Amino acid sequence: MTGEDLAARQAELVAALVAGGPLPAGFAPAPVEAARRALLRKRAGDVARHWPLLAAGLGDAWPATFAGWAAGRPTNGSLRDGWDLARELRDQGTLPSLGAEELAVREAASRYDGRGAPRPRRLPAVARAGGAVAAQLAGRVRLLRPAPR
Amino acid sequence: MTTGPSGVGIGWRSEIAGFVAGLPGLRFVEVVAEAVAPAGPLPDGLAELRGRGVTVVPHGVKLSLGGAEPVDPARVAHLAGVATALDAPLVSEHIAFVRAGGLEAGHLLPLPRSREAVAAVVANVRRAQAELPVPLALEPIAALFDWPDDELDEADFLTEILDATGALLLLDVANVHANARNRGGDPAALLDRLPLDRIAYVHVAGGAEQGGFYHDTHTDPVPAEVLDLVRELCGRRRPPALLLERDGHYPPAAELRGELDALAAASGYPVVT
């Protein structure tokens, strides 16, 4: 194995674990599948720390909801992963109230285009998500209206 | 510079900062290096511990020393900066890779136990050592699977890396247990073949059985088998320090104190609670 081989084979293995890539030749399927699932559980915990209300709102459904969304989708970091998932649940109408409030507050505070790192908004802003309304003025964010329970 | 790790310690996390601050005998903690900004003020709890003379060791998790590509100089510079900010006697990282082909794995992945992988790790460790102000300790990881083309066994793989780099060993006893349980092998026999005189300190953590595998979760209690291995290790050569890692699902304080006391009892070091 040359250095270039090692690089290519490491890339294949990571792709199999996080991007839905095929199992590289010679690896035992069951242990690699167990590792793929373990990575999803760890990632769910990391995202829950960045989006505690989203995770709490989903409760017992959080691990499976996150894993279902994240499988085959490489991470963009816990902040963006949670943001993208919250927006998807909002669009499906399945975002829980706590998650809607957390998303509204984040959307009011920062501009996030879904492709790069979120940036703090300079101008006053109002944001809505799932019935929750949040406003930001001079960097201070308030939840104006909670999401319906 | 503060003194090297000694006695029973615990991984400092912001969620348990109050608990850690309340441990009267504590002389040593570890902090995840990526969670500290070298230029900014230290987190409150850490600053207080440093004020008490507690040794704080930065523990990197994202250097990817086992990556086939050269280690990122900015990440090495960050680790070096954290070591300086904390006045640390050493830093630690893993024998693992965490990204490849532009994708983040999100956790530590095992290397093939091959000569080429040894060469890749050694080159990266040397690059890091050239920039670090203090010694580096290397931690072998827990993995659920093996590469198909291992040329070396675990002991030879680790010893070759340590010999070629002069690095210290951070031995994770829970990882030794997990690897033996999931990938086969006798954990006590591995202890017999590792350079125990190179151990800077030891990690101990909890885990759980799930889906036919033992998972090194850091969110479950330390199992009896891991404490047995601590005793096996200390019977051969007691390391200077042992550190409990807990990364979530924090139990009530009494339970966490119990785990620290069990570590003290198994190693013969004074209780810190």
Side-chain angles (χ1 to χ4, degrees), chain B residues 129-172:
Chain B
Q129 286 172 323
E131 305 301 323
L132 290 169
V134 290
L136 172 65
L138 296 176
E139 177 180 3
I141 65 165
L144 296 175
F145 60 87
D146 288 296
W147 285 67
D149 43 2
D150 286 348
E151 299 166 347
L152 305 166
D153 66 18
E154 179 83 352
D156 287 339
F157 176 70
L158 299 175
T159 303
E160 286 206 10
I161 292 168
L162 296 175
D163 283 350
T165 60
L168 298 165
L169 174 59
L170 163 50
L171 184 66
D172 187 317

Side-chain angles (χ1 to χ4, degrees), chain A residues 1-3 6-15 17-19 25-28 30-32 34-36 38-39 41-43 46 49 74-75, chain B residues 15 66-69 97-101 103-112 114 116-117 120 144-149 210 213 215 247-248:
Chain A
M1 197 195 292
T2 67
L6 182 60
R9 297 184 67 212
Q10 287 184 341
E12 279 178 10
L13 180 61
V14 175
L17 288 168
V18 305
F27 282 86
V32 174
R36 188 187 70 82
L39 286 176
R41 282 194 298 275
K42 177 170 189 301
R43 206 171 138 195
D46 292 344
R49 273 190 278 285
T75 184
Chain B
E15 294 92 331
E69 285 102 17
F97 73 107
V98 303
R99 67 185 68 84
L103 292 179
E104 294 286 331
H107 198 43
L108 307 156
L109 296 180
L111 297 171
S114 64
E116 288 72 13
L144 296 175
F145 60 87
D146 288 296
W147 285 67
D149 43 2
Q210 184 169 350
F213 291 89
H215 293 269
D247 288 310

